[in-house]
């Protein structure tokens, strides 16, 4: 009896370990901000009823799709991540590609199964999001290989997250929610380029046309700082004028921080070069937490 039980326990533990590593590969910090975006999207329409199983099912479907998309991205980034010295599970060999691929397929199947129980518009949004993710990561013309295309696809995925959450919550999207989603997506499309400053060597070796690779690091820093300033100033103006958009004031504060780190952080050390990106991510979290608090107060 014990000889039959112990191998099954070992197999279960091994499976759980792979799922845990796949979760790490899916980037918990990104999954967390997508969860916040979805919650905020439901609250932007006012009066979202989170006691309804429909919203919980929709959130589960969306986050499973996000996890799968980022896991697929980790698989596709294997060589570049190794060249850049990444510590992600696939890059360091703790999670094999075959297991990661199987888990990604299961996640996608579960996501689509959940979405199929919801209105067709939401199912279509999930399919569209997955297509954006595949377009970003997979194939010879993957968007990740070109700086502008990569961030446009990422921004579209963020916009779709807010929009889909609002639709499943209320069946409609007010103008203020559309403006919020647009500005939040522009933050991704512009300030998101900070992620490339720590990966120049690997990106160049893989033939990716990121801004630092195409323009050189210094010119790329200036361009990203200028674009971030424009988005930040726009967010500040809208937040100051429109009560429903007060949360956008956060980007007015976060913008100068991202700009300062983008322009001042120098050197080739990857950890230091990632500081602008970490400030960009902190800005995303702060924006969505502020929007959440603003919605709860209203």
């Amino acid at each position: 009896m014990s000889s039959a039980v112990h191998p099954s326990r070992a197999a279960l533990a091994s499976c759980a370990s792979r799922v845990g590593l796949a979760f790490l590969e899916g980037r918990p910090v990104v999954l967390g901000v997508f969860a916040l975006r979805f919650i905020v999207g439901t609250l932007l329409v006012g009066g979202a009823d989170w006691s309804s199983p429909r919203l919980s099912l929709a959130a589960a479907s969306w986050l499973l799709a996000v996890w799968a998309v980022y896991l697929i991205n980790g698989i596709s980034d294997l060589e570049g991540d190794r060249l850049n010295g990444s510590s992600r599970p696939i890059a360091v060999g703790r999670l094999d590609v075959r297991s990661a691929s199987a888990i990604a397929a299961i996640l996608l199947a579960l996501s689509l199964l959940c979405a199929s129980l919801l209105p067709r518009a939401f199912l279509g949004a999930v399919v569209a999001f997955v297509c954006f993710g595949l377009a970003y990561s997979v194939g010879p013309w993957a968007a990740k290989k070109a700086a502008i295309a990569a961030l446009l696809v990422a921004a579209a995925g963020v916009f779709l997250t807010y929009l889909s959450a609002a639709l499943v919550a209320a069946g409609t999207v007010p103008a203020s929610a559309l403006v919020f989603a647009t500005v939040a997506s522009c933050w991704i499309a512009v300030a998101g380029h900070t992620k490339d400053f720590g990966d120049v060597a690997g990106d160049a070796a893989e033939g990716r046309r990121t801004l630092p690779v195409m323009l050189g690091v210094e010119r790329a820093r200036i361009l990203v700082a200028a674009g971030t300033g424009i988005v930040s100033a726009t967010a500040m103006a809208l937040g100051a004028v429109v009560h429903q958009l007060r949360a956008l004031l956060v980007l007015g504060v976060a913008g100068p921080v991202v700009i300062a780190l983008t322009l001042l952080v120098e050197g080739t050390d990857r950890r230091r070069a990632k500081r602008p990106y970490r400030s960009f991510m902190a800005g995303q979290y702060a924006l969505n937490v502020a929007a959440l608090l603003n919605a709860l107060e209203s």
Side-chain angles (χ1 to χ4, degrees), residues 20-27 70-71 74-75 81 88-91 95:
L21 290 170
F23 181 71
L24 292 177
E25 185 68 42
R27 302 165 212 182
Y70 275 87
L71 188 53
I75 296 168
D81 281 347
R88 290 181 190 145
I90 294 177
L95 178 65

Side-chain angles (χ1 to χ4, degrees), residues 11-44:
L12 184 61
S14 177
C15 181
S17 175
R18 289 191 181 96
V19 172
L21 290 170
F23 181 71
L24 292 177
E25 185 68 42
R27 302 165 212 182
V29 67
V30 174
L31 292 171
V33 80
F34 265 101
L36 270 175
R37 287 169 184 150
F38 196 90
I39 294 171
V40 168
T42 66
L43 297 177
L44 288 173

